[in-house]
Amino acid sequence: LTQASLKEIENMRPKKRMNDLLQKVASQIGTEQRKNKVIELRFLLSPKEIIGQDGKVNSLVLERNELIGEAFEQLASPSGEIETHDCSLLLRSIGYKSLPIDGVPFDTTRNVASNVGGRIITENESESGLASMYASGWLKRGPTGIIGTNITDAKETVLAIVEDVENEALPVNSSRDNSADISERLRANGCNFVDWNGYKKIEKEEIERGSRLNPPKPREKMVDVNEMLHYAM
């Protein structure tokens, strides 16, 4: 752990609990009776190459990273150190990298929308932010955290919006017909979309699919967009 990491752990209870748990598990390695199966957690490694033959994976090439930067601003940087591990099974965990949107300031180093507390800002602006433009979730902070993190994150952004509304900081467009249904606007612009009724149809089908499984599940999620649209429309 870097000094910056230790400082982060010291000031954040969730991270401290997670670190304590990992340290406890690590200290117990080799003490269990069943030693024929071992789970080893490795951090700060990035896959560089998958080596295989005849459609089967044989080994995985990894590059070690190192944390650089101050506490709460650390970034993983490639070290140039390479290691190769034999393996016969490789599971892909799909991460998430935010993409820039035209006209929205974007931090290409962290791959997040440039923001302060959820308010989108430009390089030359302070916390005032761009009028009526906000971000939350991974677009705001990067692909980190758990569901609880998203709740705290969203609250911060919502509070920023409420504050701007109360301070009359948001622009007023007198030419906009605020009474118009957003659905009608989307249809007028030729946009295909799923409304609440469409979502409920998808949900119904997923629940029914889950109930038919053995053992049953609360729902069986659809993962194909075209299939979702089939049931929604």
Side-chain angles (χ1 to χ4, degrees):
L1 292 174
T2 64
Q3 290 299 315
S5 295
L6 292 173
K7 184 175 181 180
E8 291 180 10
I9 293 172
E10 180 183 348
N11 289 275
M12 298 185 69
R13 290 183 59 192
K15 285 192 174 183
K16 185 179 186 306
R17 288 197 300 268
M18 184 181 299
N19 181 67
D20 291 344
L21 176 61
L22 291 174
Q23 295 284 359
K24 179 181 178 180
V25 172
S27 67
Q28 296 174 345
I29 292 179
T31 62
E32 297 84 357
Q33 295 296 321
R34 297 176 60 183
K35 299 180 181 179
N36 59 323
K37 296 181 181 180
V38 177
I39 297 177
E40 183 178 349
L41 303 179
R42 301 286 305 279
F43 299 94
L44 291 174
L45 290 171
S46 294
K48 300 294 291 183
E49 182 182 2
I50 300 172
I51 301 176
Q53 187 176 7
D54 300 327
K56 297 181 179 180
V57 60
N58 296 328
S59 58
L60 180 65
V61 180
L62 303 166
E63 181 175 12
R64 289 195 60 81
N65 298 311
E66 53 186 5
L67 292 176
I68 58 174
E70 301 298 322
F72 306 104
E73 296 181 356
Q74 295 187 96
L75 294 175
S77 177
S79 68
E81 182 181 345
I82 302 295
E83 55 185 71
T84 303
H85 295 274
D86 295 334
C87 67
S88 57
L89 176 64
L90 185 63
L91 303 179
R92 181 183 181 188
S93 177
I94 303 175
Y96 181 83
K97 177 181 179 181
S98 298
L99 300 176
I101 302 173
D102 290 342
V104 179
F106 194 77
D107 184 338
T108 55
T109 301
R110 299 175 56 223
N111 293 305
V112 298
S114 300
N115 74 94
V116 173
R119 293 183 177 92
I120 302 296
I121 61 170
T122 64
E123 294 181 357
N124 299 323
E125 288 184 300
S126 62
E127 296 184 9
S128 59
L130 296 176
S132 68
M133 193 173 294
Y134 305 86
S136 185
W138 285 0
L139 179 64
K140 172 184 172 183
R141 69 177 190 278
T144 61
I146 57 177
I147 293 177
T149 313
N150 290 328
I151 294 174
T152 303
D153 182 288
K155 284 182 177 179
E156 181 183 47
T157 299
V158 170
L159 286 175
I161 297 173
V162 171
E163 181 179 316
D164 291 346
V165 170
E166 292 177 344
N167 293 334
E168 298 183 352
L170 298 180
V172 177
N173 188 345
S174 58
S175 63
R176 180 181 298 170
D177 182 5
N178 293 320
S179 63
D181 187 347
I182 184 63
S183 299
E184 296 303 322
R185 291 179 177 274
L186 292 172
R187 292 190 182 96
N189 290 325
C191 298
N192 293 322
F193 64 95
V194 175
D195 59 15
W196 180 249
N197 290 329
Y199 164 75
K200 296 298 290 185
K201 293 177 183 178
I202 295 174
E203 183 184 46
K204 179 182 178 182
E205 176 62 22
E206 290 179 341
I207 293 174
E208 289 180 353
R209 291 185 183 187
S211 67
R212 294 194 294 265
L213 296 177
N214 186 20
K217 296 169 56 178
R219 70 176 64 218
E220 179 69 8
K221 294 291 293 181
M222 295 184 199
V223 295
D224 183 78
V225 174
N226 290 327
E227 186 180 19
M228 294 180 194
L229 293 176
H230 169 75
Y231 283 94
M233 299 303 180

